[in-house]
């Protein structure tokens, strides 16, 4: 049970220092978390948590805890690995109603219980341990991951609540990792009609309060959020409420903006784009960032989310609307070529899920269900199937081919709006309320399955599919081919490189170039001591009386 | 009678809201605010002519709200009627001279009218005073700097550095533009340092080795280019198989081969 306690804060007029967030170790403080004495009520003001706490920007070693109080006060988070011993503290003496405290120095993949409060005491806690942070695993870790995906949820009505409750039922009853939700992925339009602060309170915080206290929430900007938020100035409720990494704090490449960003979780790379306010041009800042980011990741899975759907014939039409067409024609060729696996969109208030696709950038009527090897737009022998393990079989993404992605338009977590729902590239099109869950887990053959299920508001699972990467050697370290090549032997124990020069050749010169192409060592010997060279990649230019050639070596 | 059914599927909610607003106008035709509100919806729906018509109607009915001036200016700007846009944004700024969004729009209008000095002056105010600038703002500012003087790379690079200082030193779009400017300005050593920055900063660097090699060829450093190509080849070899089989990497391997062969031909 989560308890929001109202305490008496005496003497708000006290002098507070405006220091930065600080972290200290404390003795067990959980015992002081329940009550505070009431003294001098005539000078007292009660402080109540009116929003949150909620978790943002989770990384393997850090997380941001945010909350709002009705009256400005300091910010204190007590946390620890045991509910009975919240022995660490992060705090800020800034007096504010909008609290934001970064917890850092955490261990990866570790559960920390926490409570929030001010200098006077605890303001919100869960005595049953339902307020916690589980830090992200280190990038590259292969493990079970579950993400809850919510598109266009923000109606604040019973439709939204029913969709929420159906997911809660699902996750509570899940045979594996019951109760575990690693992250919430919001696909925009999180609060109708204009994403105002009040609407966010009603449609996000009041609805998902329990989950937001234990699962990091990520989001992209929807058009309704964009009515009150201004990406040009990164201001307005959406940007105030969410805190996203701009400097690659959670992995990926620095975008310099919260409008689009990326993060790693386990062996999945997530790329979040702004399809509403930001330019969608090829060569624009967001495009250049996306290309650099996707070409820099070594993660096994790549998932992207943005609001405007690549394919839809729901309450919007991807054949006629500019943002949808631009995302499809400008971004998808580049993202598909670089191995994107799953594309999550909202905007249309329905559920539409594609076949296993590649290269379909035209209108719906140009979709060709044939395999790409026959000039079509599906991938693999069952790419035009339903992707169900127990039916046409999971979609396969082999090591020898990077093509194949599933596109989901899932914007019915708050309402349904119908439409023709007949896009040819879609395997399933439903005018039903629901949300999606993505689960990545071992396939038992050394690979992994990425499974997405559409969970209806009535608890039914009306669609599911799996992408399998069992043929992939997941997460191998870089191979050591650079350490040794045909013409040389590197003895790491003795720090020696021995060149195997043709017996008819006379060695004249050997030059070592470091990883930025700088000449760092010269020699005329066949056996060369490289003990003083820093770790890294080297190209070795070997010049004999007969020829010049290169070798390479990685000194570790 | 107004039909609600036809346009619904075009833009979903938006079409419906326009239709609803039209009904509201028909019930209260003297309400200038309703025309303004429908104009906003039309604008979101990219029906700019209809939006402008509603804004002007609202104005003619006595709506003197400054926001109306902004919207009129924005619609004119979007339809490339820059003189009219300027007139309206100037009216807005007479009412609120400190509004940075309006200053920015004014600077963008000046830019399109080729009044580069005015544009630069206005945008500078925006850049220096906006609380949360974006990479896009810095890039637009640099564009104006170079439009005003196409050799002023010094100022453009200074603006990039300012952006990196504000947004974070590794903001990729700014670092990429910095590279472009260093090359365009003929600052070859600094450009090479910038290539090295990308090589060292990122975990996958095969593309950067190749791009550096291409640049080294351009500035007539074939031997250095050759070494960089070798680095690119090794970087590709060290990739996991899944990346080696991706289209861009396959294409890169072909490009490496081609450039290597061209360099070898030059030697012989």
């Amino acid at each position: 049970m989560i308890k929001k306690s109202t305490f008496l804060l005496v003497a708000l007029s006290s002098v507070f220092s405006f220091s930065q967030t600080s972290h200290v170790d404390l003795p067990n403080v959980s015992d002081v978390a329940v009550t505070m004495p009431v003294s001098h009520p005539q000078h007292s003001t009660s402080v109540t948590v009116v929003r949150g706490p909620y978790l943002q920007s989770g990384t393997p070693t850090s997380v941001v805890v945010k909350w709002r109080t009705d009256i400005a006060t300091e910010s204190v988070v007590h946390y620890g690995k045991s509910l009975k011993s919240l022995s660490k503290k992060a705090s800020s003496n800034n007096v504010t109603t909008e609290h934001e405290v970064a917890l850092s120095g955490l261990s990866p993949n570790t559960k920390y219980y926490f409570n929030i409060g001010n200098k006077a005491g605890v303001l919100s806690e869960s005595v049953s341990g339902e307020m916690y942070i589980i830090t992200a695993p280190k990038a590259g870790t292969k493990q079970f991951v579950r993400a809850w995906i919510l598109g266009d949820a923000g109606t604040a009505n019973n439709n939204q609540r029913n969709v929420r409750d159906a997911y809660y039922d699902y996750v509570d009853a899940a045979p594996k990792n019951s109760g575990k939700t690693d992250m919430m992925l919001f696909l925009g339009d999180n609060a109708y009609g204009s994403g105002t602060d009040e609407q966010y309170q009603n449609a996000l915080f009041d609805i998902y309060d329990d989950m937001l206290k234990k699962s990091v929430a990520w989001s992209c900007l929807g058009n309704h959020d964009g009515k009150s938020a201004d990406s040009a100035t990164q201001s307005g409720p959406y940007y105030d409420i969410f805190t996203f990494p701009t400097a690659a704090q959670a992995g990926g490449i620095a975008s310099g903006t919260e409008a689009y960003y990326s993060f790693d979780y386990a062996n999945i790379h997530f790329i979040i784009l702004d399809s509403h306010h930001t330019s969608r041009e090829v060569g624009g800042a967001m495009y250049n960032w996306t290309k650099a980011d996707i070409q820099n990741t070594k993660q096994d899975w790549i998932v992207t989310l943005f609001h405007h759907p690549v394919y839809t014939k729901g309450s919007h039409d991807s054949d006629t609307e500019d943002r949808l067409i631009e995302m499809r024609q400008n971004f998808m060729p580049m993202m598909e070529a670089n191995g994107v696996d799953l594309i999550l969109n909202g905007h249309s208030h329905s559920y539409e899920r594609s076949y296993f696709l590649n290269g379909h950038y035209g209108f719906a009527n140009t979709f060709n269900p044939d395999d790409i090897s026959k000039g079509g737009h599906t991938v693999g022998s069952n790419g035009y199937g339903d992707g169900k393990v127990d039916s046409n079989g999971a979609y396969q993404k082999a090591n020898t081919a990077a093509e194949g992605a599933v596109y989901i338009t899932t914007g019915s977590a708050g309402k349904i709006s119908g439409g023709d729902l007949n896009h040819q590239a879609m395997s399933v099109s439903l005018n039903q309320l629901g949300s999606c869950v993505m689960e990545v887990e071992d396939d038992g053959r050394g690979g992994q399955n990425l499974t997405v299920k559409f969970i209806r508001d009535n608890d039914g699972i009306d669609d599911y599919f799996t992408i399998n990467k069992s043929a992939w050697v997941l997460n191998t370290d870089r191979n050591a081919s650079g350490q040794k090549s045909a013409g040389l032997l590197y003895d790491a124990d003795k720090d020696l490189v021995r060149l195997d020069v043709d017996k008819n050749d006379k060695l004249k010169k050997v030059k070592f170039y470091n990883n930025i192409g700088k000449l760092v060592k010269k020699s005329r010997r066949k056996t060369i001591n490289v003990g003083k060279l820093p770790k890294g990649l080297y190209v070795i230019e070997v010049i004999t009386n007969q020829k010049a050639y290169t070798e390479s070596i990685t000194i570790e | 009678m107004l039909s609600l059914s036809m346009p619904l599927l075009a833009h979903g909610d938006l079409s419906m809201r326009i239709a609803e607003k039209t009904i509201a106008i028909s019930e209260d035709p003297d309400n200038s605010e309703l025309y303004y509100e429908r104009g906003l919806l039309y604008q979101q729906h990219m029906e700019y002519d209809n939006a402008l018509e509603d804004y002007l109607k609202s104005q003619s009915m006595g709506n003197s709200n400054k926001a109306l001036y902004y919207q009129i200016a924005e619609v004119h700007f979007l339809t490339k009627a820059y003189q009219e846009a300027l007139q309206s944004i100037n009216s807005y700024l007479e009412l609120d001279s400190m509004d940075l969004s309006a200053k920015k729009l004014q600077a963008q209008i000046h830019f399109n009218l080729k009044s580069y000095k005015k544009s630069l002056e206005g945008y500078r105010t925006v850049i220096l005073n906006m609380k949360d600038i974006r990479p896009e703002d810095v890039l637009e500012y640099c564009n104006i700097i170079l439009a005003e003087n196409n050799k002023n790379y010094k100022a453009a690079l200074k603006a990039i550095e300012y952006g990196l200082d504000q947004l974070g030193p590794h903001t990729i779009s700014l670092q990429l533009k910095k590279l472009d400017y260093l090359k365009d300005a003929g600052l070859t050593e600094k450009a090479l340092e910038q290539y090295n920055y990308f090589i060292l900063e990122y975990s996958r660097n095969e593309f950067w080795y190749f791009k550096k090699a291409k640049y080294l060829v351009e500035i007539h450093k074939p031997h250095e280019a050759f070494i960089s190509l070798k680095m690119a080849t090794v970087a590709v070899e060290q990739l996991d198989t899944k990346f080696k089989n991706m289209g861009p990497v396959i294409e890169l391997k072909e490009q490496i081969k081609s450039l290597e062969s061209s360099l070898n031909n030059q030697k012989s």
Side-chain angles (χ1 to χ4, degrees):
Chain A
M1 187 186 86
I2 292 168
K3 224 160 80 171
K4 274 185 191 162
S5 310
T6 300
F7 292 111
L8 298 175
L9 176 68
V10 182
L12 263 180
S13 56
S14 302
V15 177
F16 295 112
S17 65
F18 286 75
S19 65
Q20 295 295 309
T21 301
S22 62
H23 297 256
V24 293
D25 282 335
L26 290 178
N28 187 338
V29 294
S30 61
D31 291 343
V32 299
V34 181
T35 55
M36 286 282 291
V38 179
S39 60
H40 310 296
Q42 67 275 27
H43 300 302
S44 305
T45 313
S46 61
V47 180
T48 303
V49 175
V50 293
R51 172 176 295 176
Y54 60 104
L55 309 176
Q56 294 282 278
S57 287
T59 80
T61 58
S62 66
V63 72
V64 173
V65 183
K66 297 181 82 169
W67 70 95
R68 173 181 286 175
T69 48
D70 58 344
I71 293 166
T73 185
E74 318 87 0
S75 313
V76 178
V77 177
H78 288 115
Y79 61 101
K81 292 178 188 174
S82 163
L83 182 60
K84 290 181 180 171
S85 177
L86 306 184
S87 58
K88 288 181 179 290
K89 177 181 151 186
S91 63
S92 168
N93 287 332
N94 285 344
V95 175
T96 179
T97 58
E98 306 304 322
H99 304 270
E100 181 169 343
V101 176
L103 311 187
S104 56
L106 308 176
S107 300
N109 229 355
T110 302
K111 188 173 188 175
Y112 293 87
Y113 297 95
F114 72 99
N115 65 38
I116 57 167
N118 58 12
K119 278 186 171 179
V122 174
L123 295 173
S124 180
E125 66 175 341
S126 168
V127 291
S128 57
E130 289 301 309
M131 268 168 61
Y132 57 81
I133 300 141
I134 299 179
T135 50
K138 281 184 185 169
T141 305
K142 199 175 145 190
Q143 68 172 51
F144 179 87
V145 176
R146 179 182 286 135
W148 184 19
I149 301 153
L150 292 140
D152 303 65
T155 52
N157 62 21
N158 282 337
N159 287 340
Q160 188 183 8
R161 289 186 192 91
N162 292 340
V163 169
R164 173 201 63 188
D165 292 344
Y167 174 76
Y168 287 175
D169 291 345
Y170 167 83
V171 77
D172 285 344
K176 286 183 194 168
N177 298 288
S178 169
K180 185 175 190 275
T181 300
D182 294 302
M183 71 189 80
M184 303 173 80
L185 299 174
F186 287 97
L187 303 180
D189 287 3
N190 308 322
Y192 288 103
S194 312
T196 63
D197 187 79
E198 186 185 0
Q199 288 161 354
Y200 257 95
Q201 184 62 45
N202 296 334
L204 189 104
F205 294 105
D206 288 351
I207 299 280
Y208 305 116
D209 189 48
D210 289 349
M211 187 62 78
L212 290 164
K213 287 177 167 68
K214 56 188 180 185
S215 181
V216 174
W218 305 91
S219 184
C220 60
L221 181 82
N223 53 302
H224 285 267
D225 306 306
K227 287 178 185 175
S228 55
D230 183 0
S231 296
T233 56
Q234 289 182 78
S235 59
Y238 175 86
Y239 288 103
D240 293 340
I241 286 165
F242 292 115
T243 299
F244 298 131
T246 61
Q249 297 96 322
I253 282 186
S255 67
T257 171
E258 289 182 287
Y260 49 92
Y261 58 94
S262 61
F263 67 95
D264 288 322
Y265 191 95
N267 60 345
I268 312 167
H269 186 61
F270 291 89
I271 299 174
I272 287 75
L273 300 175
D274 170 21
S275 56
H276 184 58
H277 276 151
T278 301
S279 166
R280 298 164 295 279
E281 283 176 2
V282 172
M286 184 165 73
Y287 180 92
N288 288 343
W289 168 79
T290 308
K291 188 175 176 186
D293 186 73
I294 200 169
Q295 289 189 339
N296 194 51
T297 187
K298 292 180 179 176
Q299 294 281 64
D300 293 321
W301 298 95
I302 301 172
V303 176
T304 188
L305 41 144
F306 47 89
H307 185 66
H308 294 85
V310 174
Y311 310 115
T312 182
K313 289 284 181 182
S315 51
H316 292 271
D317 186 337
S318 56
D319 284 353
T320 62
E321 298 177 39
D322 59 345
R323 286 179 172 87
L324 292 68
I325 293 168
E326 286 170 14
M327 290 307 291
R328 182 171 68 246
Q329 295 186 342
N330 296 351
F331 275 73
M332 294 330 301
M334 178 265 287
M335 297 191 83
E336 283 187 346
N338 287 287
V340 70
D341 300 297
L342 180 66
I343 297 90
L344 301 169
N345 306 134
H347 201 42
S348 270
H349 304 139
S350 47
Y351 173 81
E352 298 165 272
R353 192 267 291 177
S354 78
Y355 300 103
F356 201 42
L357 302 181
N358 187 77
H360 176 47
Y361 312 124
F363 294 148
N365 63 8
T366 66
F367 175 70
N368 179 347
D370 289 345
D371 185 77
I372 49 172
S373 61
K374 296 174 185 164
H377 297 125
T378 63
V379 180
S381 58
N382 66 344
Y384 190 47
D386 60 14
K388 293 175 166 60
V389 172
D390 54 0
S391 176
N392 299 144
Y395 301 129
Q396 295 292 330
K397 204 151 178 180
N399 213 2
T400 49
E403 293 88 359
V406 175
Y407 292 74
I408 309 179
T409 299
T410 175
S412 61
K415 62 176 164 184
I416 48 173
S417 302
D420 291 343
L421 295 170
N422 61 352
H423 198 293
Q424 285 94 321
M426 293 299 181
S427 170
V428 177
S429 297
L430 302 170
N431 187 37
Q432 302 290 355
L433 289 163
S435 63
C436 287
V437 59
M438 179 190 83
E439 292 168 330
V440 176
E441 60 188 329
D442 287 352
D443 68 355
R445 303 187 303 276
Q448 281 192 312
N449 286 329
L450 182 155
T451 299
V452 177
K453 298 169 189 165
F454 176 62
I455 303 171
R456 284 274 308 280
D457 56 328
N458 63 3
D459 286 12
I461 295 177
D462 277 20
D463 183 42
Y464 57 92
F465 69 91
T466 298
I467 304 173
N468 175 257
K469 288 190 178 178
S470 65
W472 286 47
V473 180
L474 297 173
N475 275 321
T476 50
D477 290 332
R478 280 186 163 197
N479 67 48
S481 66
Q483 289 186 27
K484 187 178 150 187
S485 55
L488 67 78
L489 186 71
Y490 171 44
D491 185 341
D493 293 337
K494 294 179 181 168
D495 291 327
L496 291 178
V497 167
R498 291 192 180 87
L499 292 169
D500 184 13
V501 180
D502 232 354
K503 61 181 178 184
N504 297 324
D505 285 8
K506 188 182 172 194
L507 182 65
K508 291 181 75 178
K509 212 178 281 180
V510 183
K511 295 178 181 177
F512 284 72
Y513 296 89
N514 71 5
N515 59 350
I516 55 168
K518 190 177 170 193
L519 179 63
V520 289
K521 188 175 180 70
K522 285 185 198 172
S523 178
R524 292 176 186 277
R525 298 169 189 274
K526 287 183 184 174
T527 300
I528 303 158
N529 190 309
V530 292
K532 288 185 179 170
L533 290 179
K535 290 176 182 175
L537 172 67
Y538 293 84
V539 163
I540 305 167
E541 189 179 22
V542 183
I543 302 163
T544 71
N545 61 335
Q546 300 291 325
K547 57 183 179 281
Y549 59 96
T550 57
E551 303 285 353
S552 65
I553 180 176
T554 300
I555 295 178
E556 288 171 348
Chain B
M1 190 186 132
L2 183 73
S3 166
L4 284 173
S5 61
M6 193 281 290
L8 287 187
L9 296 182
H11 271 145
D13 289 354
L14 207 49
S15 301
M16 186 183 286
R17 289 171 65 201
I18 289 170
E20 286 168 356
K21 199 63 74 179
T22 301
I23 292 169
I25 288 171
S26 69
E27 289 167 354
D28 186 7
D30 297 328
N31 188 337
S32 65
E33 190 62 25
L34 289 176
Y35 283 96
Y36 171 68
E37 288 168 1
R38 190 175 65 176
L40 287 174
L41 295 171
Y42 274 131
Q43 191 178 336
Q44 284 175 46
H45 206 236
M46 290 173 292
E47 293 183 55
Y48 298 131
D49 289 344
N50 287 336
L52 186 59
E53 198 178 312
D54 273 1
Y55 292 150
L56 294 175
K57 175 80 176 170
S58 181
Q59 197 171 41
S60 72
M61 292 167 76
N63 185 349
S64 56
N65 194 322
K66 66 176 183 177
L68 181 58
Y69 286 113
Y70 186 91
Q71 294 308 137
I72 292 173
E74 195 171 64
V75 168
H76 279 311
F77 179 75
L78 290 167
T79 54
K80 301 184 180 177
Y82 298 121
Q83 285 296 354
E84 291 84 348
L86 185 61
Q87 199 180 332
S88 199
I89 203 65
N90 285 345
S91 300
Y92 179 97
L93 285 163
E94 278 171 22
L95 298 170
D96 184 355
S97 62
M98 302 304 286
D99 186 309
L100 289 175
S101 292
K103 289 290 283 184
K104 185 174 167 182
L105 181 57
Q106 187 192 43
Q108 289 168 327
I109 295 165
H110 279 309
F111 179 82
N112 281 284
L113 289 168
K114 300 194 188 330
S115 304
Y116 297 130
K117 276 195 192 306
K118 285 182 181 174
S119 177
L120 191 55
E121 196 182 318
Y123 217 102
R124 185 180 296 124
T125 306
V126 173
I127 284 283
L128 295 178
N129 293 288
M130 191 177 277
K131 195 177 160 196
D132 289 311
I133 58 167
R134 296 176 311 157
E136 286 85 347
D137 299 324
V138 179
L139 296 174
E140 189 170 28
Y141 181 49
C142 290
N143 201 29
I144 299 169
I145 290 170
L146 290 172
E148 197 270 329
N149 175 356
N150 65 8
K151 294 193 168 45
N152 198 1
Y153 288 106
K154 191 177 170 187
L157 284 163
K158 201 174 160 190
I160 293 284
E161 291 303 331
Y162 176 79
L164 289 169
D165 187 50
Q166 296 292 307
L167 297 169
H170 301 303
T171 303
I172 184 79
S173 51
L174 300 187
Q175 290 287 4
L176 289 169
K177 191 53 81 177
K178 181 178 172 180
L179 175 63
D180 288 345
Y181 289 161
L182 290 170
K183 283 160 61 179
D184 293 347
L187 299 167
T188 53
E189 285 310 309
K190 288 195 170 175
L192 289 172
E193 279 174 26
Q194 186 67 4
Y195 278 112
N196 291 341
Y197 161 81
F198 288 116
I199 287 167
L200 295 172
E201 184 61 28
Y202 297 123
S203 52
R204 281 178 55 189
N205 41 32
E206 63 274 12
F207 294 102
W208 288 110
Y209 278 128
F210 176 71
K211 286 176 187 171
K212 183 182 171 187
K214 262 175 76 179
Y215 181 63
L216 285 162
V217 171
E218 274 172 42
I219 60 172
H220 311 295
K221 294 192 172 185
H223 185 259
E224 288 89 337
F226 177 74
I227 297 298
S228 199
L229 279 178
K230 288 292 167 195
M231 292 283 184
T233 304
V234 176
V236 169
E237 279 170 10
Q238 291 186 343
L239 286 173
D240 284 347
T241 314
K242 61 193 172 194
F243 298 115
K244 281 184 194 168
N245 289 320
M246 285 179 185
V249 177
I250 292 167
E251 198 181 323
L252 177 68
K253 282 196 273 190
E254 285 163 10
Q255 289 172 326
I256 291 169
K257 220 177 189 177
S258 163
L259 191 56
E260 209 164 38
S261 143
S262 146
L263 279 172
N264 287 334
N265 289 341
Q266 279 177 28
K267 269 194 219 167
S268 57

